[in-house]
Amino acid sequence: MTGSWAPGDELPDLVRTLTLVDLVAYAGATWDWNRLHYDGVEIAERGLPGPVVDGQMFGALLAEQVQDHVGPSCRIRRMGFRYNAMVFAGETVTVRGEVESVSHDGVVRVAQHIATDVAGPDGGPKVAVTGAWCEFEVLP
Amino acid sequence: MSDLEAPLTPELLSWVGRTVTYAAPEPVGAAAIRYFARAVGDDNPIYTDAVAARAAGYRDVVAPPTWIAETVQYMDAGRDADGYAGHTWPLPVPEGYRTVRGGNTYELFGPVHPDTRLVVTWELESITAKRRMIFCESLVTYTDADGAVLATNRDSIIYVPPVAS
């Protein structure tokens, strides 16, 4: 999709269930072999409910949501996000995004966040990533 | 030092400003890009199909935008006790502190291709404390072998004190 962008435009949600297989594949692909992502004994010793999703993986999902919606001419220039809560293997995450602003020189800023299908401390969906944003341009 | 005081020792603060550079032993490689795209479930053809990548304005297949900051492929170091083989600062934090990721900010200047050879510099920008937690901010700069900056990453790690018993 190309064309005009306006504040308030919503991007289609990106929904992904992150299984232990996904965590192992990601650990391999990034050369990050930290036991927290797959070692059941270590995870139990630390009192965690399951293998921990590497938070940096959420950066890939944030970028994917924007690129899939904008299309091949999308060039992401800047993005940022903060980790809010740990996500464990088997949880399903939903990436939401909404256009926040469009600059005069064509940079579109999208506000994003990632929630899971597990209840958070307030009873609502657990927020995994908060304050996320992505700025992109569309090549002519 | 009272329990509520920030645990910022001179020894810890002496780490601010330090840098370390890692040069990847080989180019990125097309398989590494495909592996990552498959691992995160992103089926965009620009990562695996050179024809699709060229149609999108790239000279060859590209790595997913955040790959450069997520992988530690550019390192060739041993693993630590946790199995981690990426960069860490061996900071003298108090006994029992554990690390959690705080957040990341990426600035992306140019695409990464299979023939890109990465040179990565970590700089420890600041160490601050709040409510007994220690915040460590690094600026990571990724260049190609010719020194052109491909991306920067502001990486935040939080050292969390042991839970009071």
Side-chain angles (χ1 to χ4, degrees), chain A residues 16 26 67 75 77 79, chain B residues 40 47 56 70 104 106 108:
Chain A
R16 194 66 55 78
Y26 184 81
Q67 288 200 142
R75 295 295 185 272
R77 303 303 188 200
M79 51 190 292
Chain B
V40 299
Y47 307 139
E70 293 179 49
N104 291 91
Y106 303 143
L108 308 172

